[in-house]
Amino acid sequence: MIIDEITAALSYPVKETRFLRPPNTTYGVYTQSRSYRGCDCTLRLCDSDITLYLVQYAPDAEAEKELEKNLRERGIEYTKQARTWIESDKFYQTIYDFQILEKIKEE
């Protein structure tokens, strides 16, 4: 899946849903919802809606630039929300939303 390629290319750790023990440096967590479609009773397309939460203990513009460059290089349009301080957790969070359409390969 393309999301695996995106996250593997980053210099900081990223996991789906959560970290059991979050790192004490910048990291990412994403959620993904999928819908499948196709024609003639053959579902060969997967639409993924992805939200990636970039967690930063101090503002980390380089981590944001790295993710954005990674998405742009793949031609993935995205929406970036403003970096927000989460007082209860004592970190900054920047949220990215994007969609990916992939062909499903036959196994």
Side-chain angles (χ1 to χ4, degrees), residues 22-88:
N24 56 3
T25 61
T26 297
Y27 67 93
V29 174
Y30 71 92
T31 58
Q32 180 176 16
S33 60
R34 297 180 186 106
S35 60
Y36 298 91
R37 59 190 170 102
C39 60
D40 297 331
C41 299
T42 305
L43 303 179
R44 299 237 191 259
L45 297 173
C46 177
D47 283 310
S48 294
D49 291 315
I50 299 168
T51 300
L52 191 145
Y53 304 87
L54 185 58
V55 177
Q56 310 154 62
Y57 292 101
D60 190 345
E62 290 305 311
E64 293 178 9
K65 287 178 188 175
E66 182 182 4
L67 174 59
E68 292 164 17
K69 181 180 179 216
N70 195 319
L71 293 172
R72 282 194 310 275
E73 286 174 348
R74 289 174 167 74
I76 298 173
E77 297 177 0
Y78 61 90
T79 301
K80 176 184 178 181
Q81 297 182 22
R83 183 186 306 134
T84 306
W85 173 249
I86 308 298
E87 180 65 36
S88 60

Side-chain angles (χ1 to χ4, degrees), residues 10-27:
L10 298 171
S11 63
Y12 46 86
V14 180
K15 289 204 174 199
E16 187 172 8
T17 309
R18 69 182 178 131
F19 278 88
L20 292 176
R21 292 193 177 108
N24 56 3
T25 61
T26 297
Y27 67 93

